[in-house]
C-alpha cells in the first residue's frame, strides 16, 4: 500500500507538471513556482512515507534499497527542478537567476514542504497501511541522536559532499548521473542516517520534522537549515 501510494503521488505530480507547462507557458513566474512546488511536494511526500518504512525488515537493507530506487525515480521524473533551497543558492550567487526568482523558488519549496506534511498526515489518519498505525501520535521524532555540535558538523559535511558531487557530475550522461547521485545519497543515509537523518535539504527537513522545529527551533534550524546552507556557500566560495 505504501509503494502504491508513493507511485500514485509521482504519477499525479507528473501530470500536474505536464499540465502546468502546457497551460502556463506564457506566465513564466507562475509556471516556475508551480513546477518547483510540485516537484518538491513529490520528494517531501515520498520521503515522509519512506521514513515510516525504515523499520521494515530486513533493516537497513529495505530502507536503503527504497531510498536508492526512489531517488533514481525522482531524478528521472523531476528534471529541471532543484527541490532544495541550498541548490537554489548556486544560480543566485552566480547571477544565473535574480534574487527575486530565487526567493520565489525557495518559497515554493517550503510551501510544498508544508503541503506535503499536511497531505501525508491526512493519508496516515486513514490508516490504509500497517506503517500508518500510530504515525500521527508521534510528536518530534528526534532525528538527532548525537550532540548538536556533531549533528551540525555532519549535516555540513554531507551538504559539502553532496553539492560538490553535483558540480562534478554535471558533464556526465544524465542516464548515469541519476544513478551516481542516488548511490551517493544512499551511502550518506547509511553513514549518518542513524545520527541526523542525513537530510541536507532545509525544505525536506522541515517537512519531515516540523514538530521538532516547533519544540526546539534554534537547535534544529542550526543543524538542518544553517549547516547545509553554509556547506553550499563553502562550495561556492572555493569553486
Amino acid at each position: 500500500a505504501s509503494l502504491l501510494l508513493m507511485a500514485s503521488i509521482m504519477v499525479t505530480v507528473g501530470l500536474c507538471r505536464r499540465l502546468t507547462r502546457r497551460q502556463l507557458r506564457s506566465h513564466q513566474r507562475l509556471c516556475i513556482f508551480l513546477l518547483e512546488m510540485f516537484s518538491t511536494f513529490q520528494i517531501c511526500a515520498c520521503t515522509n512515507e519512506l521514513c515510516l518504512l525504515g523499520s521494515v525488515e530486513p533493516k537497513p537493507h529495505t530502507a536503503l534499497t527504497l531510498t536508492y530506487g526512489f531517488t533514481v525515480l525522482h531524478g528521472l521524473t523531476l528534471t529541471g527542478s532543484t527541490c532544495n533551497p541550498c541548490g537554489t543558492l548556486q544560480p543566485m550567487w552566480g547571477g544565473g537567476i535574480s534574487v527575486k526568482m530565487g526567493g520565489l523558488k525557495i518559497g515554493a519549496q517550503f510551501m510544498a514542504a508544508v503541503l506535503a506534511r499536511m497531505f501525508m498526515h491526512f493519508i496516515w489518519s486513514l490508516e490504509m497501511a500497517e506503517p500508518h498505525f500510530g504515525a500521527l501520535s508521534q510528536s518530534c521524532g528526534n532525528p538527532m541522536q548525537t550532540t548538536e555540535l556533531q549533528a551540525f558538523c555532519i549535516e555540513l559535511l554531507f551538504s559539502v559532499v553532496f553539492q560538490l558531487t553535483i558540480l562534478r557530475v554535471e558533464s556526465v550522461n544524465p542516464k548515469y548521473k541519476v544513478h551516481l547521485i542516488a548511490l551517493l545519497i544512499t551511502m550518506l543515509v547509511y553513514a549518518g542516517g542513524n545520527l541526523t537523518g542525513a537530510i541536507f535539504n532545509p525544505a525536506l527537513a522541515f517537512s519531515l520534522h516540523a514538530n521538532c522545529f516547533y519544540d526546539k527551533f534554534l537547535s534544529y534550524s542550526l543543524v538542518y537549515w544553517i549547516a547545509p546552507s553554509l556547506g553550499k556557500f563553502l562550495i561556492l566560495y572555493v569553486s
Side-chain angles (χ1 to χ4, degrees), residues 142-232:
N142 194 18
M144 282 197 291
Q145 299 299 315
T146 183
T147 65
E148 291 181 11
L149 178 59
Q150 289 178 333
F152 181 90
C153 292
I154 290 172
E155 287 294 311
L156 174 63
L157 175 62
F158 284 5
S159 177
V160 169
V161 172
F162 177 72
Q163 298 296 341
L164 185 61
T165 302
I166 293 294
L167 292 176
R168 297 304 182 191
V169 301
E170 283 185 348
S171 59
V172 177
N173 188 308
K175 293 188 299 183
Y176 304 117
K177 182 166 67 174
V178 292
H179 290 280
L180 290 174
I181 294 174
L183 179 61
L184 173 64
I185 291 176
T186 304
M187 291 173 61
L188 293 178
V189 170
Y190 178 73
N194 62 326
L195 297 176
T196 66
I199 303 172
F200 46 89
N201 181 333
L204 178 59
F206 186 70
S207 183
L208 293 176
H209 305 295
N211 291 329
C212 298
F213 282 92
Y214 300 149
D215 295 343
K216 301 178 180 179
F217 178 79
L218 181 59
S219 298
Y220 279 79
S221 61
L222 283 173
V223 172
Y224 295 104
W225 289 355
I226 304 300
S229 300
L230 179 59
K232 183 61 180 180

Side-chain angles (χ1 to χ4, degrees), residues 1 120-137:
M120 294 310 297
H121 273 211
F122 169 73
I123 294 297
W124 293 344
S125 68
L126 302 178
E127 298 187 340
M128 296 185 300
E130 184 177 349
H132 298 172
F133 300 153
L136 294 180
S137 63

Side-chain angles (χ1 to χ4, degrees), residues 36-99:
E36 195 67 34
M37 187 183 71
F38 289 139
S39 301
T40 308
F41 177 89
Q42 175 178 310
I43 288 181
C44 291
C46 290
T47 307
N48 268 280
E49 186 69 14
L50 281 174
C51 287
L52 293 184
L53 301 179
S55 58
V56 175
E57 297 292 345
K59 296 189 295 185
H61 304 84
T62 300
L64 293 175
T65 301
L66 291 173
T67 298
Y68 176 82
F70 275 92
T71 303
V72 170
L73 291 175
H74 292 323
L76 293 173
T77 59
L78 302 179
T79 54
S81 297
T82 307
C83 308
N84 187 337
C86 296
T88 307
L89 294 175
Q90 180 180 351
M92 289 176 60
W93 181 272
I97 61 174
S98 65
V99 175

